[in-house]
Every structure is written in C-alpha cells, then in structure tokens.
Amino acid sequence: LPALVTLGNRVVLWGGTAPGMTGTQGWRRDGAVLDPVTGTWSLLTCQGAPKAGTSLGNVVSTGDAVFVIAGQNSARLTL
C-alpha cells in the first residue's frame, strides 16, 4: 500500500505497488502531490529516495517536509 501524509494544504502519496505487477517488479519508489484546490497531481523526484519495498516503516510530515524512513523487503527485512 502507498503511504499518504498531508503537507500543508496538500496530500503526498509515496510508494505502493504498480497495478498489474507482481513481485518486486511492481514496487514503487516514487510519489506524487495532490493539490486539492486545483485537483492536480505533481510527480515527485525519486533522487535520493529509499529503496522500494513492500511496506513503509514510517512517513512523517513536519509541515515543511516529508520524511520516508525504512520499510521492509519481501523477506520482511528492514531496508
């Protein structure tokens, strides 16, 4: 499942799995931001992003930034 967190008046979506994909090939390591006022999505860069995994350990918003921390791979090992 992707991680969702608010950042100010926007919603940040990160990770998850790609539709129709199975196994590790479907894991995502990218995200997007929804501006609910305009209803538009903007893609986020994955430069410096954590490795793609089956689940995210923690996603935290400080109001100015979003931090994605750890997660697990298919063997349930922390990334």
Side-chain angles (χ1 to χ4, degrees), residues 4-5 8 14-15 17-19 25 31 47 49 54 57 69 72 75:
L4 289 170
V5 67
W14 187 265
T17 56
Q25 294 177 353
Q47 181 179 1
T54 59
I69 306 162
Q72 294 179 337

Side-chain angles (χ1 to χ4, degrees), residues 1-4 14-16 50-51 53-59 68-72:
L1 294 173
L4 289 170
W14 187 265
K51 295 177 183 178
T54 59
S55 64
L56 293 171
N58 293 289
V59 178
V68 180
I69 306 162
Q72 294 179 337

Side-chain angles (χ1 to χ4, degrees), residues 36-58:
V37 174
T38 63
T40 57
W41 287 92
S42 302
L43 295 178
L44 294 171
T45 180
C46 64
Q47 181 179 1
K51 295 177 183 178
T54 59
S55 64
L56 293 171
N58 293 289

